[in-house]
């Protein structure tokens, strides 16, 4: 049994505790016990041997003091939303710029937070020198090997989890057509995990994807991949369920049971990018459904013996990728644009305060 070394912040009162609920959502708000209401999420999660994290927008972190205060006080892990992506850290071939990412890692260390490294191998946010370059297969494999090795080595000892491969599957469970699959074949996935492990043997290495929270062709394919890789001795330690939900599709069923399938393989699991969007404008009923969406993701994690972290993809509606990506949608986060807690925040507090986990964790 491995025991997570948890930083238990001194008994602090959540900076959010005194603020009124964003919208009158009596059901979710009333669920939280009085004790839960004045403790930050990171403390409540520590009681459950779980890290509770957020994606961090490093521009907001630098410029917005309330954002910075809440990022440091509510969460026990952080994920760079964008600043560890290939286009940012290797804008020119072989020339690295880790400055922004380093700043965030230092912030995390100052606040007793773990860092989830995001992301080494992905089809998106690649620099144009790479996507438009005319490389042979051998050159491209070497470019990938170097990027993974140099980056993991740069942060060696300071990254808790790496999202090594991100979003490699289509919805039907076939592998996504990407520069990596086209040029290198499916073996790029095992290669990336091996290279990352060699560069930092102590970091936990994750496969990460969306729409795999429930059972279906895509999560079946990920389960199969992870089982096969581990049987071959490839160092895959965990699976990240991103958790991008939209209430207009209805909330998914069978999430806890699906997490259990992965748990049974012996790998760690994590909710890595939770947010629950809605068609605007928001109203009380939508906010209650949203709270239920967050709660069901956290609940699935709490029920899985080896689920080690629950990360939200940003914590305030002030900064979110959602309105830029889905026209007419938004309000996906747990605090509103003025940092007032929404029913979703209260639901997370209540879920963390209200239950005990299985006796061991990975
Ligand atoms: O939140 C990120 C947004 O700011 C970027 O513009 C976008 C680019 O594709 O990536 C977003 O983060 C994604 C994450 O890295 C991987 N899973 C899906 C996330 C939301 O798109």
């Amino acid at each position: 049994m491995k025991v997570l070394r948890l930083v238990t912040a001194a008994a602090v009162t959540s900076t959010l505790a005194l603020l009124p609920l964003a919208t009158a959502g009596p059901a979710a708000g009333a669920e939280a016990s009085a004790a839960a209401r004045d403790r930050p999420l990171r403390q409540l999660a520590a009681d459950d041997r779980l890290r509770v994290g957020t994606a961090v927008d490093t521009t907001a972190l630098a410029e917005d003091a309330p954002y910075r205060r809440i990022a440091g006080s509510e969460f026990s892990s952080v994920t760079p939303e964008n600043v560890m992506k290939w286009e940012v850290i290797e804008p020119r071939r072989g020339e690295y710029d880790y400055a922004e990412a380093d700043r965030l890692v230092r912030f995390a260390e100052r606040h007793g937070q773990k860092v989830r490294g995001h992301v080494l191998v992905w089809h998106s946010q690649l620099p144009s020198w790479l996507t438009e370059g005319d490389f042979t297969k051998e050159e491209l494999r070497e470019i990938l090997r170097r990027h993974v090795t140099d980056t993991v080595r740069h942060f060696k000892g300071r990254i808790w989890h790496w999202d090594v491969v991100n979003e490699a599957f289509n919805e039907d469970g076939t592998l996504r057509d990407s520069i990596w699959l086209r040029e290198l074949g499916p073996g790029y996935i095992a290669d990336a995990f091996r290279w990352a492990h060699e560069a930092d043997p102590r970091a936990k290495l994750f496969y990460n994807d969306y729409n795999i929270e429930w059972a279906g062709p895509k999560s079946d394919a990920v389960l199969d991949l992870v089982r096969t890789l581990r049987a071959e001795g490839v160092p895959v330690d965990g699976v990240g369920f991103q958790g991008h939900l939209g209430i207009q599709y209805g909330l998914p069923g069978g999430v806890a049971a699906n997490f259990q399938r992965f748990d049974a393989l012996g790998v760690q699991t994590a909710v890595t990018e939770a947010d629950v969007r809605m068609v605007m404008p928001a109203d009380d009923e939508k906010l209650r459904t949203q709270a239920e969406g967050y709660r069901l993701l956290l609940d699935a994690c709490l029920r899985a013996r080896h689920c080690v972290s629950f990360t939200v993809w940003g914590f305030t509606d002030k900064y979110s990728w959602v309105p830029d990506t889905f026209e007419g949608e938004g309000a996906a986060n747990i605090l509103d644009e003025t940092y007032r807690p929404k029913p979703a925040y209260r639901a997370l507090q209540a879920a963390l305060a209200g239950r005990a986990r299985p006796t061991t964790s990975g």
Side-chain angles (χ1 to χ4, degrees):
M1 177 184 102
K2 271 173 253 132
V3 178
L4 292 176
R5 196 177 61 80
L6 292 171
V7 176
T8 312
V12 287
T13 294
S14 169
T15 46
L16 305 170
L18 305 174
L19 296 171
L21 200 63
T23 306
E31 275 168 24
S33 69
R37 270 200 294 272
D38 62 7
R39 295 175 69 199
L41 296 177
R42 66 182 287 171
Q43 261 198 30
L44 294 166
D47 294 348
D48 276 320
R49 303 183 314 284
L50 181 81
R51 293 272 171 172
V52 64
T54 182
V56 172
D57 173 332
T58 51
T59 307
L61 193 73
E63 295 172 1
D64 183 334
Y67 181 97
R68 190 160 56 245
R69 197 172 62 245
I70 295 167
S73 61
E74 284 289 326
F75 302 97
S76 50
S77 124
V78 292
T79 306
E81 184 172 357
N82 285 301
V83 298
M84 277 185 199
K85 290 173 177 174
W86 200 316
E87 68 178 5
V88 177
I89 60 177
E90 196 184 357
R92 283 165 301 281
R93 189 177 174 184
E95 282 179 36
Y96 294 101
D97 180 358
Y98 294 118
E100 279 291 307
D102 286 343
R103 243 191 295 285
L104 179 60
V105 171
R106 285 197 298 274
F107 175 89
E109 289 170 349
R110 279 200 305 280
H111 291 84
Q113 296 169 321
K114 299 275 194 191
V115 181
R116 298 199 79 264
H118 178 82
V119 51
L120 295 170
V121 189
W122 193 25
H123 61 275
S124 184
Q125 286 181 282
L126 295 170
S128 54
W129 66 261
L130 171 56
T131 51
E132 287 159 25
D134 188 17
F135 302 112
T136 65
K137 293 180 191 314
E138 291 68 33
E139 283 170 330
L140 204 61
R141 187 163 187 274
E142 180 55 16
I143 285 169
L144 183 63
R145 191 194 66 74
R146 274 200 55 184
H147 180 83
V148 170
T149 304
D150 291 349
T151 301
V152 176
R153 201 176 275 157
H154 175 84
F155 294 105
K156 187 175 177 186
R158 304 172 80 188
I159 299 287
W160 182 40
H161 295 167
W162 268 112
D163 288 333
V164 177
V165 177
N166 194 39
E167 303 174 4
F169 285 100
N170 296 311
E171 296 304 304
D172 67 0
T174 57
L175 281 173
R176 183 194 289 270
D177 177 38
S178 70
I179 183 170
W180 309 120
L181 183 69
R182 262 193 318 279
E183 301 299 321
L184 309 181
Y188 81 87
I189 297 177
D191 284 343
F193 279 97
R194 290 198 172 102
W195 293 327
H197 181 67
E198 225 168 89
D200 186 354
R202 298 184 64 179
K204 295 290 179 205
L205 306 182
F206 276 66
Y207 176 81
N208 192 51
D209 215 328
Y210 59 88
N211 292 357
I212 59 165
E213 295 77 11
W214 51 91
K218 193 171 183 180
S219 70
D220 291 353
V222 175
L223 191 73
D224 235 40
L225 170 79
V226 171
R227 189 187 286 127
T228 307
L229 290 176
R230 282 171 66 88
E232 291 168 356
V234 178
V236 182
D237 301 303
V239 173
F241 303 90
Q242 292 185 3
H244 294 293
L245 304 182
I247 62 166
Q248 67 274 26
Y249 307 114
L251 297 179
V255 174
N258 186 50
F259 275 41
Q260 301 289 340
R261 302 197 295 167
F262 287 84
D263 207 59
L265 286 185
V267 288
Q268 296 189 338
T269 51
V271 174
T272 54
E273 305 184 15
D275 58 14
V276 183
R277 61 188 188 270
M278 60 190 66
V279 174
M280 299 299 278
D283 61 31
D284 282 7
E285 197 191 328
K286 290 180 190 174
L287 292 176
R288 276 196 295 272
T289 307
Q290 172 182 60
E292 178 56 20
Y294 274 99
R295 195 204 55 78
L296 82 83
L297 291 171
L298 175 58
D299 180 63
C301 177
L302 287 169
R303 283 170 193 272
R305 215 170 269 279
H306 304 106
C307 187
V308 292
S309 70
F310 178 87
T311 292
V312 293
W313 204 241
F315 55 87
T316 165
D317 293 338
K318 190 171 178 185
Y319 309 104
S320 166
W321 67 290
V322 168
D324 295 337
T325 308
F326 302 100
E327 210 188 320
E329 298 181 36
N333 303 97
I334 59 176
L335 307 181
D336 75 5
E337 293 179 356
T338 61
Y339 297 111
R340 282 186 310 169
K342 294 160 67 179
Y345 175 82
R346 300 293 186 215
L348 294 184
Q349 280 189 313
L352 288 169
R355 56 171 303 119
R357 297 193 79 188
T359 52
T360 57
S361 86

